[in-house]
Amino acid sequence: MTVAKFSVSFSSDLAEEVANAADRQQNSVSGWLADAANIKLKLTGAEQLLAEWEADHGLLPAADLAAVEELWPA
């Protein structure tokens, strides 16, 4: 596997939260950020699929959205 290196900048508060979250999961900051990036990419893909579906079929009914939010609260 080829690895790319990035340099990122965060506020000190966010940096501390990220470091603490990685530590709680017994992960490195790099690993934790890679996991977070993968999740964000999946969410972005899901949002795009939803937008395409709604463009073809109309907006999802509010009752359906409420049911989803009940199953998977934000």
Side-chain angles (χ1 to χ4, degrees):
M1 169 175 74
T2 303
V3 176
K5 290 193 175 211
F6 289 89
S7 174
V8 297
S9 298
F10 298 121
S11 69
S12 58
D13 291 342
L14 181 57
E16 184 176 343
E17 288 184 54
V18 167
N20 289 338
D23 205 34
R24 282 191 302 275
Q25 294 178 3
Q26 298 179 338
N27 201 349
S28 65
V29 170
S30 292
W32 191 92
L33 288 171
D35 291 345
N38 276 314
I39 291 167
K40 180 65 174 179
L41 288 170
K42 288 176 184 176
L43 289 173
T44 300
E47 289 170 349
Q48 183 178 354
L49 286 173
L50 177 59
E52 290 171 9
W53 189 92
E54 288 183 331
D56 291 340
H57 304 282
L59 296 177
L60 286 173
D64 291 347
L65 291 174
V68 169
E69 288 181 8
E70 187 174 318
L71 289 172
W72 296 300

